[in-house]
Amino acid sequence: MNLRFGAQNRRWRLSSGPIRVPLRPLNNIIGQGSVPTISQAYGAGDMEKTRNAISNTFSFKFIVGIISSFLLLVILRPVLHLLTDDLVVIDLAVDYGRIMMIFLPLFFSLYTIKTSLRCCGDSKSPMVITFVSSIINVILDPIFMFETIPVINLPGLGMGVYGVAVATVIANMVGLLIGGYILFGKNNFIGMKFTDIFTIDLKMAKELITVGTPPAMANLTRNITNMILISL
């Protein structure tokens, strides 16, 4: 029984690993460029440029998230076949990957909120958001994953790796709601409004992409190398 559980647990870990590889570089294409832009504008006291940089980061990350979601859903299974011949791992990874890709734009929105707050000198709020999301994820993971929850031996949902993805989505959506309230609430210190995120400034977008692309490509190269090592 323990051997079967150990083998299955290893398959679950292997199935979720490759899905995470492209996410950070895709986020960093805009995210890395937003850090100096937002920080410099806020440090100079230019609140209009600060809001413009944050709103464009939101807009273009969301667009990149949608495009990436569709592309990754299409290539997911073929890429997984290059990494492993284990059909069980591939099926598990597809189950995990589909739900993660569907919610990718919202994940990127959460990353934008936390980055924006840090760049404006508020490191406490992102810490609280991450802490709350992590606790929720830790609690929900075993409930959604196992048929019998470890340690407490109560019935779980038995959803396997798909349950891990669902738990991750729920935890991050709670974080997104908290972060959205902090960044767009009436008393926010930046003066942001929710409608600001629909603003698109092509000049600002070019600046974000120009600054963010080199570190994103470096990150992608490192992650691809790790993915190749995983497949060996």
Side-chain angles (χ1 to χ4, degrees):
M1 180 66 179
N2 290 335
L3 290 175
R4 287 200 302 270
F5 176 78
Q8 181 70 1
N9 191 39
R10 180 175 180 274
R11 279 174 163 171
W12 286 344
R13 293 198 304 270
L14 288 173
S15 65
S16 62
I19 305 302
R20 300 174 184 270
V21 169
L23 300 188
R24 190 174 296 276
L26 288 171
N27 172 66
N28 285 349
I29 290 175
I30 307 295
Q32 293 280 15
S34 69
V35 172
T37 305
I38 297 172
S39 299
Q40 290 172 9
Y42 184 79
D46 189 342
M47 300 308 292
E48 183 177 353
K49 185 176 181 180
T50 301
R51 289 190 291 269
N52 188 31
I54 293 174
S55 62
N56 276 275
T57 302
F58 258 105
S59 300
F60 284 97
K61 265 196 187 181
F62 198 84
I63 293 172
V64 169
I66 292 174
I67 296 173
S68 301
S69 178
F70 279 109
L71 290 177
L72 290 172
L73 283 171
V74 171
I75 68 173
L76 181 57
R77 188 175 287 275
V79 170
L80 289 169
H81 276 285
L82 296 176
L83 299 177
T84 179
D85 295 325
D86 191 329
L87 296 181
V88 175
V89 171
I90 291 174
D91 289 339
L92 289 171
V94 170
D95 287 342
Y96 179 87
R98 280 174 179 167
I99 191 167
M100 295 294 286
M101 295 306 107
I102 289 171
F103 287 92
L104 188 59
L106 296 182
F107 290 152
F108 282 3
S109 296
L110 174 59
Y111 302 154
T112 300
I113 289 175
K114 293 195 287 188
T115 298
S116 299
L117 291 171
R118 289 192 191 99
C119 290
C120 294
D122 181 5
S123 60
K124 181 179 178 180
S125 294
M127 180 190 70
V128 172
I129 294 169
T130 301
F131 179 78
V132 172
S133 297
S134 298
I135 293 298
I136 292 174
N137 208 349
V138 168
I139 293 172
L140 293 183
D141 267 352
I143 295 174
F144 282 78
M145 183 187 297
F146 301 111
E147 294 182 0
T148 302
I149 303 172
V151 182
I152 60 176
N153 293 321
L154 292 176
L157 298 178
M159 298 170 65
V161 74
Y162 183 80
V164 177
V166 173
T168 300
V169 168
I170 293 174
N172 279 275
M173 292 309 100
V174 172
L176 182 60
L177 291 174
I178 297 172
Y181 176 78
I182 295 171
L183 188 62
F184 300 109
K186 292 182 180 180
N187 299 321
N188 79 81
F189 62 96
I190 307 173
M192 289 290 298
K193 298 178 181 178
F194 181 73
T195 53
D196 291 339
I197 67 174
F198 301 106
T199 302
I200 295 179
D201 183 337
L202 295 180
K203 182 179 179 181
M204 176 64 70
K206 181 180 179 181
E207 180 178 344
L208 295 174
I209 294 173
T210 300
V211 175
T213 298
M217 292 300 100
N219 198 348
L220 179 61
T221 301
R222 182 169 60 252
N223 285 350
I224 289 176
T225 301
N226 290 336
M227 187 166 62
I228 293 172
L229 291 175
I230 290 173
S231 67
L232 296 178

